[in-house]
Amino acid sequence: MLILAIESSCDETAAAVALINDDTQDIEIKASIIASQIDIHALYGGVVPEIASRAHAEALSKITYEALEKSNITLKDVDAIAVSYAPGLIGALLTGVNFAKGLAFANKKPLIPVNHIKGHIAASYINNQIKPPFLALAASGGHTSIINVKNYTDYETIGRTRDDAVGECFDKIARVMGIPYPGGAVMDKLASEGNSKAIKFPSAAVTGDNLDYSFSGLKTAAINYLHNAEQKGEMINREDVAASLTKTIVDSVITKLDHAIEETGYTTLVVAGGVAANSHLREGLKKFAERKKLTLAIPALKYCGDNAAMIAVQGYYEYKIGNIAETNLNAVARP
Ligand code: KG4
Ligand code: ZN
């Protein structure tokens, strides 16, 4: 099956073409084009929703035809069009949904609605030989959820952040350190140069019998640390702040994953989303998986952040269960 997919939930406009073999379920990503708006939003220190929608509207057509051209196909060859319709910025999602609707109905192709979080997790099927059921962590700039993936389309969220997302925590602390939006990747590099035991920060794993996180206390503690040092005229060691913060985040994330693995009894763990690109988290998860004898699957770096290849892959499984959108498909901001 040839699937064309569109993604526009936040600050990347993306289009991709995936060829999926119905017998073997082998996945070939023929094209995955991403037009990033990061440079525009960096001027404001974060994503400006109205600007994001406008930039998507301008980029969608161009990158879609670029993806088709790179795959050496035309719209006629496509079997279905998948689009991410939720969750995300409502205006941003609407541009992609309306664009995909137009393409699908003008070309008489089925339109497949795809949940963006399911897409992130489906990115792990591209390079790994894994199959549901398994436990998954979706960790991005907008979401941090522990999910019981019962099968390719049936998901149950069993843990979540009660406030900020993990990527947001990285980005907001980075911003106070003068690092442009989104600061997660720079924090990753800084952390490699610092002492992770230099500063004690509070855990983001909520105490008690639950699978929830809370990153706002950790974020505030780190920002207070930075402000206090500034007020006293003390020099801060940026590398130590990044390393200590990263260690606290990695330990917190793994604490709840450990509980979730015990609770569900799963032996496969998938970690996806933009923050799954973090080298220290990847390393920590590898050790955790070895200790617990788990099969660990993390998407390749290029499929961790927002992209449309992941939407095409999840779209395939949605199509297989007959999840075809009506003409009244709407965008939904909440998960
Ligand atoms: O999945 P994504 O591209 O967009 C959302 O759906 O939110 O994730 C973006 C988030 C940002 O917060 C960014 O700072 C973070 O992923 N991120 C990282 C790294 N690379 C991206 N965070 C920590 N370490 C990284 N290497
Ligand atoms: Zn995302």
Side-chain angles (χ1 to χ4, degrees), residues 8-58:
S8 69
S9 64
C10 190
D11 56 358
E12 327 270 11
T13 322
V17 174
L19 176 65
I20 300 174
N21 184 312
D22 253 337
D23 297 325
T24 61
Q25 317 248 301
D26 281 350
I27 300 165
E28 185 192 343
I29 304 302
K30 301 198 82 62
S32 176
I33 313 285
I34 302 171
S36 178
Q37 308 174 359
I38 280 174
D39 290 349
I40 314 172
H41 299 295
L43 299 172
Y44 305 94
V47 179
V48 184
E50 177 64 23
I51 294 177
S53 310
R54 285 167 187 252
H56 286 309
E58 277 168 27

Side-chain angles (χ1 to χ4, degrees), residues 230-257:
E230 194 187 359
Q231 276 164 7
K232 290 187 203 149
E234 291 171 3
M235 284 290 285
I236 59 140
N237 183 316
R238 287 153 56 88
E239 289 78 8
D240 284 356
V241 174
S244 302
L245 172 72
T246 303
K247 166 116 179 57
T248 308
I249 288 180
V250 172
D251 288 350
S252 310
V253 164
I254 291 177
T255 298
K256 290 299 179 184
L257 287 180

Side-chain angles (χ1 to χ4, degrees), residues 199-211:
I199 309 154
K200 178 105 186 75
F201 288 128
S203 170
V206 175
T207 46
D209 192 14
N210 61 70
L211 297 173

Side-chain angles (χ1 to χ4, degrees), residues 9-10 12 116 120 139-143 167-168 170-171 182-185 188 273-275 277-279 304-306:
S9 64
C10 190
E12 327 270 11
H116 178 81
H120 271 301
S140 71
H143 315 278
E168 192 181 353
F170 271 121
D171 295 344
D188 187 349
V275 179
N278 186 277
S279 63
C304 282
D306 289 347

